[in-house]
Structures are given as structure tokens and as C-alpha cells.
Amino acid sequence: MTASAAHLSQTRLPPRPLDHLDRLEAESIHILREVVAECERPVMLYSVGKDSAVMLHLARKAFFPAPPPFPLLHIASGWDFADVLAHRDRMAAAAGMELIVHHNAAAAAAGVNPFDTPTPVYTRLMLTEALVAALDAHGFDAAFGGARRDEEKARAKERIFSFRSASHAWDPKAQRPELWNLYNARKNPGESIRVFPLSNWTELDIWAYIAREGVPLVPLYFAAERPTVRRGNLLLVVDDDRFRFLPGETVEPRWVRFRTLGCYPLTGAVESRAATLAEVMAEMQAVRVSERAGRAVDHDEAASMERKKQEGYF
Amino acid sequence: MDGRDSPLARAAAEPLAAPEGAAAPAPATGGLLRFLTCGSVDDGKSTLIGRLLHDCRALLEDQLAALAADSRRHGTQGDDLDFALLVDGLAAEREQGITIDVAYRYFATPRRKFIVADTPGHEQYTRNMATGASTADLAILLVDARKGVVTQTRRHATIAHLLGIRHLVLAVNKMDLVGFGEPVFAAIVAEFRAFADRLGIGEVVAIPLSALAGDNVTAPSARMPWHAGPTLLAHLETVEVDWDRARARPFRMPVQWVNRPDQTFRGFAGLVASGVIRPGDEVRVLPSGRTTRVARIVTMEGDLAEAAAGQSVTLTLADEVEAGRGSVIAAASAPPQVADQFEATIVWMDDAPLHVGRGYWLKLATQTVTATVAHPKHVLNVNTLEHLAAKTLEMNAIGVAEVRTDRPIVFEPYADSRTLGGFILIDRLTNRTVGAGMLHFALRRSQNVHWQALEISREARAALKNQKPAVLWFTGLSGSGKSTIANLVEKRLHRMNRHTFLLDGDNVRHGLCRDLGFTEADRIENIRRVGEVARLMADAGLIVITAFISPFRAEREMVRRMLPEGEFLEIFVDTPLEVAEARDVKGLYAKARRGELRNFTGIDSPYEPPEAPELRIDTTRTSPEEAARLVVARLLGED
Ligand SMILES: Nc1nc2c(ncn2[C@@H]2O[C@H](COP(=O)(O)OP(=O)(O)OP(=O)(O)O)[C@@H](O)[C@H]2O)c(=O)[nH]1
Ligand SMILES: [Mg+2]
């Protein structure tokens, strides 16, 4: 990193008026820096999705020319898309950041998997509990997450600095007032903070920013012919040979892409020919369902998100 | 469904980014408007937001389906959609049918982007309303046409005004329940106008609405042809907001973080609060007051020729000047003030009332200091706007009081700068955000930024005595042995030719603190006075020994912060309650147990043991003589 500090470009970029993406960017960078200044051991939860991609990009900007002064944490369920893992390693290396990968090996060894285990139990064990265990094991006192308030009704209620008890529970009725851009980062013993720098971004802002900044994305966000299986109202992609078929299911090649990424046997793709960013954005303009519609995880019940958050889900 | 009609399509129709180098034409509309809905409980705030999102087609199919299902389960509208459920996202909110915490929603029309905060009307959750209001450009204040202007309407109008929201819409809602009659509307508007005048609110745009039915929300209401003004949405889309106000003011950037990847680079990272900066501009770094020039504006894309209010940047300076988190880099020609005593308006937000005299953390921009709040000059009766006398600030009170900080801070009046004038108060024990404040002016300006150096420094005085000043602060239960050990310590030091002074709890109460009792507030004041005296004596070069129960952590911390690093030694005389009570040298425990003494520490008043004392003495194992030896050894660094 020492080299880059000395070799900064000295040509000066001319001023341009600030648009709303500039304001969102400035707000997020401010949040990232507040945490680094006030917390002892922050970490960035890196899911490798588009929101994580933007969050990582913002972190690199916030601390440039230094690398972001915290590690990346990936909770690997063991059922991640292969592309996701490759992209993850590439991006961590490019950012010059330590990458911590945590996996609930005990649960996996006990046979927990996305096919046999009921989805809520699977997510709790492989994602929620794995995350909580990783945060505890490393003693992180603040964790950045890429959640946005426009995603979901319970998220829309959450503060940017969101406190968790020693058991990682969220108490939505006792949130601290959060005025202006003044964040109270003081924790009681055992408490930790989830910090959401992208709180005020919308899905469209994320895409527009990715386009403007050239943020690298996992190829799965772009349409390609992939081996797919239709299951209920989800279109699943068979990412490796561990996929388990139900009677009567067949693999069909289809042109698909993803709006959101999770465990591959649980994440629905959308049929699409949009293979470039411009095409994806053009398609987004016609969209009439929210991105969460593609996640098996969130369908369980209306208040599922709030409940999961109370358990420690990000 | 026609794709061109989707909300995303319409939002995307706006250019993503202005072309490089384009001039900055400030369009009357356009931009991002942040607003909130407020007003009394059940006046229809959440319903209005839901209606607005729905009618602006900002809802996607699965969200509408979920709303329909939710409405059947939790709704108040029979089989119709209950729009409030779109924003009332917490389980408790849906069950109780009220809003508890602020919800943020995002939508766009071809003319503007919007961030809306739906805030709770219930008085208990006023702090959440203030949270939503603190970042808003505009407030929609709802009134139920049947009920008219009520206390919460006035409270929210007052808070919105205090927080500096310049645009106010009075939305008279539920017009369907009063037959859409103009006289009802006119009477409410007149009543509110009179209140707004007294508060000093300028323009108020009044709109008669039915959030439930959609009248005058996005389309003009055929049932209220008498309303000549705009619909709510038309007003939101066109109201002129001066977003460039901050840019036009002098440059200020609070330093968040110092970026030091290696010896060659030292950058100051921050969000520009106001003004414009260019390389070569002369700046003053406060509070130190040193001037230098900006060398570079560093970003990952490359250096900038200019940065303005609202941008997060990293500056490098031409000279090595002392600056760190909490410093403010400002235009050299027009620096902000530095002071440690202010008048401020404070909104109290905690169940526990303000403790006058107790130290709270005060966070203002990137500065965190200890502050005490004096007795309020007055609190506001939000109904009559009368100034009432008050001893403290209770939950939801709005009051004006003097605030003192333990060291000077860089500030501007809130009216000039939200960033350098707005602060929060944090309880040092519970870490809760207990208040929000707006600075008006300094009561005693710190002269010239630089301190008037006294000719003889505290170091010089101490050097003459051949010692380092210190405060040995003994804390522990009544009868734990503080005074005994403190006396022995002083004798030892005296024999060693050290200049000492012992401040003892009982003795001080005969004079300096004769007017104080034993309530929590009085105990805080007692310790504050003793702390100030101890500090003066330490300044005079003495080794000060104090023996006070000093049961509260916050006050001991307050004294610690009065003194230079390393000069405050907290000595915890750790005697279990049973042991102290069994000794009961002065017979006080017996009295307290009989109920003859109130607020007795350990009996009916808490003792908060130190978390990290410099020294802990277990009197069940250590003799007083041995304890005194340990204390002296610790003081002189011999162990
Ligand atoms: N008739 C009629 N009822 C309305 C109207 N607007 C809201 N309501 C009803 O008033 C009740 C309260 O509405 P909410 O939107 O929850 O009120 P609120 O102001 O958000 O309440 P809090 O957030 O708890 O302070 C609900 O039953 C709504 O359906 C209206 O214009 N006409
Ligand atoms: Mg509501």
C-alpha cells in the first residue's frame, strides 16, 4: 500500500454538480469512517452480492489511499455459487483486505442442507447462527451490512447504527434516537453494532451507481444460458452436481440472470436476455415485482424478517 | 402491465449523473426531497404515506399482494386496503395499530426523488419523531379534521421548527368524515396559523385531504372544489428548496479520521459541512488555531480541483499541523468560534430526567466531550408557548439551558450550521442518547482561540515542590476504611517531604458543601465541587487526597476528565457491604436499616464499583498500614 500513497495522480478532476448518487456516496463514506473512528474492531460482512459490491467499493473510496482498515467476513453456507466464491477471493485481494470465511461445519456434518432441512431452520443454522458465531469468535464489536431500507418493511424501521444485545438480538422498540448524521456508537458490555451504510439507497440507486463507477459484479447478475430447473414458482440454477432433483424435474437450458444472490438451491433466477449492464438496467425499468420475491428464504411469513433479525440475522 | 409505467422506469428516466464538467444549473424542482409526516396519534400519517406510495405507483405487485393479505389480517378497513400497514412494519405496530418507530420509504416521480420518514404520533415516541425530523427538508403536519389542532400537533410543529425545517404543510385529514366542508378546514387553518405566528413559522401550505380515499393526495378532489391550492404531491414536487445554502457559507470540514497509510501520506478525512475548498486555499485548523494551506484533495478517482459541501473527501495540508478527529478545518478568513459555555435548546428524550450538574457525553460533529447542563432557564409549554420555570428536563420536555463543556469545542449557531450547531447528549452509564440540542450562542467566548498562558505554569509550581501533582481519589462504601487509609497515606507522604492536602467527605460537608443534602442530584454536585477544588489544588502543585463515598461512576469519571492524563488515581477501597455494616463505626448502617436515614449508599442508594481503578484494596485481606504503603508505592511508581 505504501507505493500507492506516493504515486497518486496529481492531475485534478474538474468540479461537477453533485447529484443524488454523490450525496448517497458521501453519506455512506461518512458512516464507514465514523465506525472506524469510534469502534475497536469493525468487520465488513461481505456476501459478494451487488449491495456488498457497492459497499466494498465505498469502503475503498472512504479510506483511500489506505486499504479499508478492517477485514471482510463471508459466511459460506457451503451451497454458494462457484462464481460467487471466485469473485469473492478476487475482490478481497484487489482491495488488499483480509478475508475471513466462516462456515458452520458442525451443522453441515450433522446433515443440514438446503434440500432436506426446512428452509427456516437451514437459514438459521447456516447463515444466522454461523454469523453470530463468527462475530463472537473474532470479538468484532461492529459489523457493516449491505442492507437497504427499501428492501423490506422491518428494514425500513431500522437505524443506521443498530444495536444488538450480547445474544445478538435486535429490540425494535428500544432503538436509540438517531439525529442528523450524529451516531452514538457507545456500547454497553456485550453489545455489538450492525451498521448499514447503504440504508438510504434503493435498488435502482445501486444499479445506477454500479454503472457509473464500473463496480465489478459476479457474472450471475448477467443473463447467460444456464442449466435450470423449475420448482414451484422459483427457477433454480443447477450450479454443481450436488443438486437434488424432485421426481419429474428435468434440467433445461434457459437464459437467466439473478436479481439477488443466496444459496444456489434456494435462490430464484429470472428469465432474461440482458447480458450487459445497460440491458439489465433497461429490463429493470419494466419490473413489477420486488427483488425479494426471488428468495425462498423470505417467503415463510409476513413478519419473518423482524423475527429473524431478533435472532441475530443481519 | 406496461413497463414504461413502472416506478423504476420513471425514476430511471432521470439522468444517472450529470456529464463531467457541466455547469450547475439549479433547477427549481428536481433533486431529492426529504420529508416527514408528523402530527397526533391516529391522524392518518401512515395511511397518507401508504396512499402516496400507492398512487405514485411505487408499489410492486408482490408488495401489493402482501398488503392485501395483511389488510385482511390486521387492517382497520374491512376488506379494503389499510395503507398504514405498508409502513407500520413492526409486529407490535401491526398488532396495536399505531406507529412506534420511524419508517423510511423511497419513491420517485418524473419530477423528483423523495425520501419520506413516517413518524409516530404517540407522545411516548416523540424522540423517534425528532429522529425523522432531523434530516428533513419539509414536514407534513397532519390534523384530524374532527379533532382539530391538539397538543401533539403543537409539539410536533414546535420540534420541526426548532430543528430548522423551513417548509411546513398543514394537511387537514379525514375530510371525508366532516362532509368535505370548507368551514371546518378554514377554522383549523386559522387556529394553526395563529399558533405558527407565535412560534415564528413563516409560510404554511394548508391542504384538505382524505388520506384514506385519496382526495387531494395526488389528484385534485372533485368533492372539495373549493380548494384552490395544489394537491399534496404537486406541492411536494414543486416546493423550492435551497439545497445550496451550505455551499454558500464559509468552508468547514470536521475531521473524522486521520489517514496515515505510511510516512509519506497524512490525510484528513471528513464530510465537507459547508463551503467550497480548492488546493492552495488558506485554512485554519481549530481548536489549535494554526493556519496552513490545502495541498491536495485526494479521492480514489484522482485529485479534485474543488470540493464542496456534501462531499466526503480526504485533504492533505501543506504544513505539519496538529489535527485529529474532532478538529475542524475551516476557511482561514472566516473561522468558526471556539467556546466552552453555551446557551442551547435541548429536547430531552430519556425516561430518566436530566441530572443537572452530572457529566454527559456531548457529541457535536466529530467532537466528543464531557458536558454538564445547568438548571433550565425555562421549559416550553407546547400548548401556550409560555416559558415555565423548571428544575430539570423530563422526558419530551423542550427547554433552554446553559451547557458547559470540559474543554472548548468548535461550533456555530444551529441556525447557521446543523453540523456544527446540533449535538446529542449521551448518558455515560447507560450509553443511551438522552437528549438532542441546538446551540444558540457562546456565553463566554474562549479568547482568540489560544489560551492566555499563565506566567507560572502548574508544572513550574510543582517543580518547586519537587513533586508531580496528583489526585488520590478514594472511593468505597461508608465505613469501608477510606478515611483511615487516606490519613495514613498523607502521613507517609508528609514524612517524605511531599506537599499534600486531604479533603475528607465529612469535613467538606461542614463548609464548602454545607447547602447540599444526600439526594442523587446533591451528591453529584458535592462531587463536582470537590473535583473542582481538587483540580485547583493539583494545579497549585499539591498531591491531593480525597476520601468520599462517591458512589456514581459518572461523577468519578467527570473528575478524572478534569485532570491531565495520569494525574487521577482512583483507589477502590473494596469492603463488602456485610463487613462495612458489621463494623458500623458511626452507627449509620443501623440508622439506615431502621429507616431513619434515607438515600444511604448500599442500603437504599446504589454504589457503582469502579470498573478499572488504578488500585483496588481488599480490606478483608490488607491492613490499613499495608494499604497505605501500596498507595504510596503506586503514586511514586515504585511497584
Ligand atoms: N375516514 C378516514 N379515516 C382515515 C383517514 N386517514 C386515516 N384514517 C384512519 O385513521 C386510523 C389511523 O390511521 P394511521 O395512518 O394509522 O394514523 P397515524 O397518524 O399513522 O397514527 P400513529 O402513527 O400511531 O400516530 C386508521 O384506522 C385509518 O384507516 C381518512 O382520510 N379518512
Ligand atoms: Mg403511523
Side-chain angles (χ1 to χ4, degrees), chain A residues 157, chain B residues 37 42 44-47 84 87-88 93 97-101 118-121:
Chain A
K157 291 273 167 184
Chain B
T37 51
D42 270 353
K45 299 174 291 296
S46 303
T47 307
V87 271
D88 288 340
E93 294 179 325
I98 59 161
T99 304
I100 292 173
D101 212 332
D118 178 43
T119 70

mmCIF file of all heavy atoms in Angstrom, chain A residues 157, chain B residues 37 42 44-47 84 87-88 93 97-101 118-121, ligand 2:
data_model
loop_
_atom_site.group_PDB
_atom_site.id
_atom_site.type_symbol
_atom_site.label_atom_id
_atom_site.label_comp_id
_atom_site.label_asym_id
_atom_site.label_seq_id
_atom_site.Cartn_x
_atom_site.Cartn_y
_atom_site.Cartn_z
ATOM 1 N N LYS A 157 -37.494 0.235 9.208
ATOM 2 C CA LYS A 157 -37.628 0.751 10.571
ATOM 3 C C LYS A 157 -36.290 0.807 11.286
ATOM 4 O O LYS A 157 -36.223 1.249 12.433
ATOM 5 C CB LYS A 157 -38.533 -0.193 11.381
ATOM 6 C CG LYS A 157 -39.984 -0.169 10.943
ATOM 7 C CD LYS A 157 -40.717 0.910 11.656
ATOM 8 C CE LYS A 157 -42.063 1.165 11.025
ATOM 9 N NZ LYS A 157 -42.741 2.296 11.669
ATOM 10 N N THR B 37 -43.848 12.867 7.822
ATOM 11 C CA THR B 37 -45.219 13.097 8.260
ATOM 12 C C THR B 37 -45.192 13.099 9.776
ATOM 13 O O THR B 37 -44.530 12.269 10.399
ATOM 14 C CB THR B 37 -46.168 11.992 7.782
ATOM 15 O OG1 THR B 37 -45.616 10.728 8.143
ATOM 16 C CG2 THR B 37 -46.357 12.042 6.279
ATOM 17 N N ASP B 42 -52.995 8.666 15.361
ATOM 18 C CA ASP B 42 -54.190 8.306 14.593
ATOM 19 C C ASP B 42 -54.709 9.384 13.644
ATOM 20 O O ASP B 42 -55.819 9.268 13.135
ATOM 21 C CB ASP B 42 -55.359 7.914 15.529
ATOM 22 C CG ASP B 42 -55.341 6.432 15.822
ATOM 23 O OD1 ASP B 42 -54.517 5.725 15.208
ATOM 24 O OD2 ASP B 42 -56.140 5.972 16.653
ATOM 25 N N GLY B 44 -53.618 9.869 10.788
ATOM 26 C CA GLY B 44 -53.583 9.314 9.436
ATOM 27 C C GLY B 44 -52.255 9.466 8.706
ATOM 28 O O GLY B 44 -52.204 9.379 7.478
ATOM 29 N N LYS B 45 -51.166 9.603 9.462
ATOM 30 C CA LYS B 45 -49.849 9.803 8.847
ATOM 31 C C LYS B 45 -49.420 8.608 8.014
ATOM 32 O O LYS B 45 -49.016 8.736 6.859
ATOM 33 C CB LYS B 45 -48.797 10.066 9.931
ATOM 34 C CG LYS B 45 -49.062 11.295 10.748
ATOM 35 C CD LYS B 45 -48.084 11.450 11.893
ATOM 36 C CE LYS B 45 -48.255 10.413 12.998
ATOM 37 N NZ LYS B 45 -49.554 10.507 13.706
ATOM 38 N N SER B 46 -49.503 7.430 8.627
ATOM 39 C CA SER B 46 -49.053 6.231 7.920
ATOM 40 C C SER B 46 -49.963 5.941 6.740
ATOM 41 O O SER B 46 -49.502 5.533 5.670
ATOM 42 C CB SER B 46 -49.020 5.035 8.877
ATOM 43 O OG SER B 46 -48.195 5.329 9.981
ATOM 44 N N THR B 47 -51.248 6.165 6.951
ATOM 45 C CA THR B 47 -52.200 5.958 5.864
ATOM 46 C C THR B 47 -51.852 6.867 4.681
ATOM 47 O O THR B 47 -51.879 6.441 3.524
ATOM 48 C CB THR B 47 -53.632 6.258 6.351
ATOM 49 O OG1 THR B 47 -53.876 5.489 7.532
ATOM 50 C CG2 THR B 47 -54.667 5.911 5.297
ATOM 51 N N ALA B 84 -51.861 2.020 6.045
ATOM 52 C CA ALA B 84 -50.908 2.208 7.142
ATOM 53 C C ALA B 84 -50.007 0.980 7.301
ATOM 54 O O ALA B 84 -48.858 1.087 7.705
ATOM 55 C CB ALA B 84 -51.656 2.496 8.441
ATOM 56 N N VAL B 87 -46.394 0.842 5.955
ATOM 57 C CA VAL B 87 -45.262 1.439 6.661
ATOM 58 C C VAL B 87 -45.119 0.939 8.089
ATOM 59 O O VAL B 87 -44.031 0.921 8.635
ATOM 60 C CB VAL B 87 -45.319 2.980 6.644
ATOM 61 C CG1 VAL B 87 -44.614 3.501 5.422
ATOM 62 C CG2 VAL B 87 -46.729 3.483 6.688
ATOM 63 N N ASP B 88 -46.221 0.542 8.701
ATOM 64 C CA ASP B 88 -46.120 0.031 10.067
ATOM 65 C C ASP B 88 -45.582 -1.392 10.017
ATOM 66 O O ASP B 88 -46.329 -2.369 10.051
ATOM 67 C CB ASP B 88 -47.486 0.121 10.770
ATOM 68 C CG ASP B 88 -47.848 1.563 11.103
ATOM 69 O OD1 ASP B 88 -46.930 2.411 11.157
ATOM 70 O OD2 ASP B 88 -49.042 1.859 11.301
ATOM 71 N N GLU B 93 -46.412 -2.897 16.000
ATOM 72 C CA GLU B 93 -47.174 -1.812 15.381
ATOM 73 C C GLU B 93 -48.444 -2.337 14.724
ATOM 74 O O GLU B 93 -49.516 -1.735 14.822
ATOM 75 C CB GLU B 93 -46.318 -1.090 14.337
ATOM 76 C CG GLU B 93 -45.133 -0.370 14.952
ATOM 77 C CD GLU B 93 -44.261 0.332 13.930
ATOM 78 O OE1 GLU B 93 -44.100 -0.187 12.800
ATOM 79 O OE2 GLU B 93 -43.723 1.391 14.250
ATOM 80 N N GLY B 97 -51.902 -1.255 16.015
ATOM 81 C CA GLY B 97 -52.470 -0.283 15.091
ATOM 82 C C GLY B 97 -51.900 1.119 15.253
ATOM 83 O O GLY B 97 -52.520 2.101 14.870
ATOM 84 N N ILE B 98 -50.713 1.218 15.838
ATOM 85 C CA ILE B 98 -50.068 2.529 15.940
ATOM 86 C C ILE B 98 -48.642 2.428 15.402
ATOM 87 O O ILE B 98 -48.103 1.333 15.255
ATOM 88 C CB ILE B 98 -50.000 3.045 17.398
ATOM 89 C CG1 ILE B 98 -49.214 2.050 18.280
ATOM 90 C CG2 ILE B 98 -51.389 3.291 17.944
ATOM 91 C CD1 ILE B 98 -48.714 2.684 19.556
ATOM 92 N N THR B 99 -48.054 3.579 15.113
ATOM 93 C CA THR B 99 -46.657 3.613 14.716
ATOM 94 C C THR B 99 -45.815 3.812 15.969
ATOM 95 O O THR B 99 -46.149 4.646 16.818
ATOM 96 C CB THR B 99 -46.421 4.756 13.719
ATOM 97 O OG1 THR B 99 -47.305 4.585 12.623
ATOM 98 C CG2 THR B 99 -44.993 4.761 13.213
ATOM 99 N N ILE B 100 -44.747 3.042 16.090
ATOM 100 C CA ILE B 100 -43.861 3.165 17.246
ATOM 101 C C ILE B 100 -42.558 3.847 16.832
ATOM 102 O O ILE B 100 -42.079 4.753 17.478
ATOM 103 C CB ILE B 100 -43.576 1.776 17.872
ATOM 104 C CG1 ILE B 100 -44.862 1.238 18.500
ATOM 105 C CG2 ILE B 100 -42.458 1.860 18.893
ATOM 106 C CD1 ILE B 100 -44.772 -0.184 19.011
ATOM 107 N N ASP B 101 -41.995 3.385 15.734
ATOM 108 C CA ASP B 101 -40.727 3.986 15.312
ATOM 109 C C ASP B 101 -40.827 4.476 13.876
ATOM 110 O O ASP B 101 -41.717 4.079 13.122
ATOM 111 C CB ASP B 101 -39.571 2.998 15.471
ATOM 112 C CG ASP B 101 -38.266 3.725 15.801
ATOM 113 O OD1 ASP B 101 -38.126 4.899 15.397
ATOM 114 O OD2 ASP B 101 -37.405 3.130 16.460
ATOM 115 N N ASP B 118 -41.916 8.319 8.002
ATOM 116 C CA ASP B 118 -43.236 8.288 8.647
ATOM 117 C C ASP B 118 -42.991 8.170 10.145
ATOM 118 O O ASP B 118 -42.418 7.194 10.613
ATOM 119 C CB ASP B 118 -44.043 7.089 8.142
ATOM 120 C CG ASP B 118 -45.388 7.010 8.846
ATOM 121 O OD1 ASP B 118 -46.021 8.062 9.015
ATOM 122 O OD2 ASP B 118 -45.793 5.891 9.231
ATOM 123 N N THR B 119 -43.410 9.177 10.900
ATOM 124 C CA THR B 119 -43.046 9.179 12.318
ATOM 125 C C THR B 119 -44.267 8.934 13.201
ATOM 126 O O THR B 119 -45.397 9.135 12.772
ATOM 127 C CB THR B 119 -42.367 10.511 12.721
ATOM 128 O OG1 THR B 119 -43.346 11.558 12.689
ATOM 129 C CG2 THR B 119 -41.235 10.848 11.782
ATOM 130 N N PRO B 120 -44.043 8.466 14.422
ATOM 131 C CA PRO B 120 -45.160 8.142 15.310
ATOM 132 C C PRO B 120 -45.780 9.392 15.927
ATOM 133 O O PRO B 120 -45.082 10.354 16.227
ATOM 134 C CB PRO B 120 -44.513 7.270 16.388
ATOM 135 C CG PRO B 120 -43.067 7.595 16.353
ATOM 136 C CD PRO B 120 -42.738 8.128 15.000
ATOM 137 N N GLY B 121 -47.075 9.340 16.147
ATOM 138 C CA GLY B 121 -47.773 10.468 16.743
ATOM 139 C C GLY B 121 -47.815 10.390 18.260
ATOM 140 O O GLY B 121 -47.958 11.402 18.943
HETATM 141 MG MG MG C 2 -48.483 5.928 11.843
#
